[in-house]
Amino acid sequence: DVVLECAGNSDAVLTAMRVVARGGNVVIVGNPVEDVNIKKDVFWRILRGELNIRGTWNSSYSSTVNDWKSVIAMMSDGSLDPTDLITHVYKLEEGQEAFATLMGDELYTKIMFEMD
């Protein structure tokens, strides 16, 4: 019913539009590094599937206000500990369990994969 596109490239946007349910919502989050083009068959899918397309902006990023640089500075000086946000850690081979957590009723914030 809802697809979050977080990569910011044409393939991810097109895939999101193709896999979302009829009448579903596509939320575009990813910041594009190049033009994002919508192919004709996907455009028809938007129209005939009556899709809802939404955009969202998750941070300020300009020459005067840059949330990303502020967060990095806070992590560097120790005033922000990002590990507090991590609620679950899985090994890569435990992917099924990680996705079961995502789809289940258990509360989570950030689910991480441990890379050896």
Side-chain angles (χ1 to χ4, degrees):
D1 294 332
V2 177
V3 176
L4 300 175
E5 181 286 314
C6 299
N9 66 50
S10 289
D11 288 340
V13 171
L14 297 177
T15 299
M17 310 267 186
R18 286 183 176 126
V19 301
V20 71
R22 180 177 178 80
N25 298 288
V26 175
V27 181
I28 299 177
V29 180
N31 296 319
V33 295
E34 59 190 28
D35 287 345
V36 175
N37 300 302
I38 298 176
K39 297 179 180 180
K40 183 179 172 183
D41 67 312
V42 174
F43 196 90
W44 280 114
R45 168 84 172 109
I46 295 168
L47 297 176
R48 292 181 177 162
E50 299 177 335
L51 304 183
N52 300 298
I53 313 299
R54 304 233 182 245
T56 185
W57 192 249
N58 64 353
S59 61
S60 296
Y61 186 79
S62 69
S63 58
T64 55
V65 179
N66 187 322
D67 292 341
W68 295 94
K69 286 184 180 179
S70 298
V71 169
I72 290 170
M74 291 170 67
M75 288 169 54
S76 296
D77 71 17
S79 60
L80 174 66
D81 182 4
T83 58
D84 292 342
L85 299 173
I86 301 169
T87 55
H88 297 75
V89 178
Y90 293 95
K91 294 183 179 182
L92 199 52
E93 57 270 12
E94 298 172 320
Q96 293 281 350
E97 295 170 48
F99 284 100
T101 300
L102 283 169
M103 301 305 293
D105 294 331
E106 186 178 351
L107 183 63
Y108 65 88
T109 303
K110 295 289 182 189
I111 296 174
M112 305 295 290
F113 284 102
E114 192 174 70
M115 306 299 284
D116 294 326

